Amino acid sequence: MVNIKNLIKQLEEQRILSKEEFIALLSNLSQEDKEFLRERAQLTAKKQFDNKIYTRGLIEFTNYCKNDCYYCGIRKSNLLAERYRLTNEEIIACCKEGYELGFHTFVLQGGEDGSYSDDDIITIIKMIKKDYPDCAITLSIGEKSYDSYQRFHEAGADRYLLRHETANEEHYNKLHPKTLSLPNRKRCLKELKEIGYQVGAGFMVGSPYQTLENIAEDLIFIKELSPEMIGIGPFIPHHQTPFAKQSRGTLEQTLVIISILRLMMPNALIPATTALGTIDPNGREMGILHGANVVMPNLSPTSVRKKYELYDNKICTGDEAAECRCCLERRMKKIGYELTSDRGDFKPEV
Ligand code: SAM
Ligand code: FES
């Protein structure tokens, strides 16, 4: 019988486990072990970041998408999704509002919207950098060529979020149509790193057909890639997708994985995601107490919030940006943490 506490200590010291050890850890955690894991992860995050939580202003600038990921509410086959694009003026207005609220990172996220040429994206990046040179720009617009990624980087994009979704090819193909492939996803991540972006990988916890073995593979993949940011949230079904009837990921498992990742990568930037806040009213607070150190309030205009519906019952779709910021500030304060206006770049370990 494996001693789970020893396995957690081993993870903390060596920052990695074998696939078999990860599976043993994930399948045998008692409540007491979970609390021990949580404490170690929280302590690790505190040592690195004190009680400071970084903020990123999320701007969901388009919900058009040429892809058809089976889990995603804005997939192209969802003909009931009401599509929108923000104008450049609307995007810069989001940044203005965000900047006044203290945000120093803007995340431009969207579906893979073919109507934007690389030059269009470069225009947006330059427009934001011109008005807000002290802010970081994070792109989250999917799979592109090396050349496009390089041009965006040269224009001023600092970071790129592209979850790998699952490191197992068979599993990947159960979540995506044939037009998408794991090798291409990995190619993108590798190139983004090569170019010099701060890169975010990650996956959904409890996605359909996911096994503990898959999760162990994801953890090992993340360790090897060594991304600066790691996005982990529960899978939540969307009623107009092929996965409408699948069950959602659990709060408990998501929190365990956040803690494991924190012990593996003490200085990584790990958000307590909106999806986590959607499956539990205190999900984001719990994420922080389990080792996360970033929150990403929404800066998109309230008129489009509901349309960027990746999954059912997404929270914060009715609130103004300022309300979201204040609400999170309050929530973090309640658990002894503080939002910081720092840009929140990846830093070496302390
Ligand atoms: N198009 C870009 C991309 O694919 O990277 C960015 C937008 S995409 C909607 C952002 C992330 O949302 C995906 O990487 C996926 O992990 C997450 N997501 C999509 N559908 C979800 C669902 N039903 N439940 C939880 N997360 C979901
Ligand atoms: Fe394109 Fe989800 S299928 S963003």
Side-chain angles (χ1 to χ4, degrees):
M1 185 65 193
V2 270
N3 182 320
I4 295 299
K5 232 179 197 155
N6 284 344
L7 217 46
I8 296 170
K9 287 182 192 157
Q10 187 186 329
L11 173 66
E12 191 174 357
E13 275 163 30
Q14 301 175 357
R15 300 188 177 176
I16 189 72
L17 294 176
S18 69
K19 188 167 160 183
E20 292 67 34
E21 287 167 336
F22 272 131
I23 295 172
L25 179 64
L26 289 164
S27 43
N28 291 304
L29 285 163
S30 66
Q31 272 316 321
E32 197 188 319
D33 296 328
K34 280 185 191 162
E35 182 51 21
F36 180 65
L37 174 65
R38 188 200 70 75
E39 276 171 17
R40 299 313 305 165
Q42 188 187 16
L43 232 109
T44 306
K46 277 238 163 133
K47 189 169 158 225
Q48 188 69 34
F49 307 103
D50 195 12
N51 70 336
K52 303 284 183 290
I53 302 296
Y54 294 125
T55 54
R56 280 76 167 93
L58 182 63
I59 304 171
E60 299 156 334
F61 71 102
T62 171
N63 72 348
Y64 282 88
C65 191
K66 65 177 163 63
N67 290 338
D68 224 4
C69 307
Y70 301 144
Y71 44 81
C72 185
I74 60 169
R75 63 198 298 268
K76 76 166 176 205
S77 291
N78 181 5
L79 302 179
L80 294 174
E82 226 185 291
R83 305 288 170 173
Y84 73 90
R85 284 183 193 104
L86 298 184
T87 62
N88 289 4
E89 291 67 37
E90 285 171 316
I91 294 175
I92 206 76
C94 293
C95 296
K96 181 171 185 291
E97 190 176 6
Y99 193 80
E100 283 161 7
L101 289 168
F103 290 99
H104 286 94
T105 291
F106 300 120
V107 181
L108 290 170
Q109 190 181 84
E112 289 198 21
D113 183 346
S115 79
Y116 290 87
S117 66
D118 286 356
D119 286 339
D120 293 334
I121 298 291
I122 288 168
T123 301
I124 296 172
I125 296 168
K126 288 194 169 161
M127 166 185 85
I128 298 175
K129 278 284 173 174
K130 180 171 152 283
D131 286 2
Y132 304 103
D134 53 335
C135 293
I137 296 183
T138 305
L139 295 180
S140 178
I141 52 175
E143 299 179 0
K144 305 272 177 190
S145 67
Y146 187 95
D147 183 57
S148 304
Y149 286 147
Q150 188 155 41
R151 291 185 63 212
F152 299 157
H153 191 56
E154 280 163 9
D158 305 276
R159 309 179 191 143
Y160 207 104
L161 300 179
L162 186 74
R163 290 185 176 180
H164 66 283
E165 311 295 1
T166 169
N168 178 288
E169 197 151 4
E170 209 176 298
H171 186 216
Y172 194 94
N173 295 336
K174 287 182 180 164
L175 302 180
H176 302 97
K178 280 201 170 55
T179 43
L180 294 168
S181 77
L182 183 59
N184 195 45
R185 201 78 173 173
K186 287 186 173 170
R187 190 261 313 154
C188 291
L189 285 164
K190 196 173 132 265
E191 291 181 355
L192 287 163
K193 278 226 112 185
E194 244 171 68
I195 291 168
Y197 282 95
Q198 293 172 48
V199 172
F203 60 96
M204 293 176 287
V205 176
S207 62
Y209 314 110
Q210 184 183 59
T211 61
L212 290 185
E213 193 181 345
N214 293 153
I215 297 177
E217 289 166 336
D218 285 323
L219 296 172
I220 291 167
F221 172 77
I222 288 177
K223 186 70 186 182
E224 281 166 6
L225 178 72
S226 188
E228 286 74 16
M229 306 171 281
I230 311 166
I232 299 293
F235 160 74
I236 307 172
H238 183 286
H239 62 285
Q240 281 146 0
T241 62
F243 290 161
K245 297 262 167 347
Q246 299 279 350
S247 43
R248 55 163 61 169
T250 66
L251 176 72
E252 279 218 325
Q253 197 175 37
T254 309
L255 296 173
V256 162
I257 291 166
I258 288 176
S259 294
I260 292 176
L261 284 163
R262 173 57 68 209
L263 292 184
M264 284 168 60
M265 305 173 68
N267 54 342
L269 297 148
I270 304 180
T273 57
T274 305
L276 199 51
T278 297
I279 60 164
D280 188 288
N282 289 316
R284 286 169 299 178
E285 289 90 325
M286 303 276 270
I288 299 298
L289 295 171
H290 284 74
N293 71 316
V294 174
V295 289
M296 295 174 68
N298 205 317
L299 287 181
S300 312
T302 37
S303 57
V304 303
R305 293 266 186 103
K306 275 202 170 61
K307 299 178 188 163
Y308 199 84
E309 193 190 41
L310 308 180
Y311 45 80
D312 290 340
N313 304 316
K314 192 172 156 209
I315 53 166
C316 306
T317 53
D319 306 333
E320 296 293 341
E323 289 174 65
C324 274
R325 171 108 194 173
C326 293
C327 160
L328 273 166
E329 211 155 86
R330 222 174 23 247
R331 284 170 177 270
M332 293 301 126
K333 212 169 171 180
K334 229 172 162 177
I335 55 166
Y337 286 80
E338 202 181 294
L339 295 189
T340 163
S341 291
D342 189 291
R343 248 175 71 126
D345 286 297
F346 180 75
K347 293 186 189 83
E349 227 182 296
V350 292

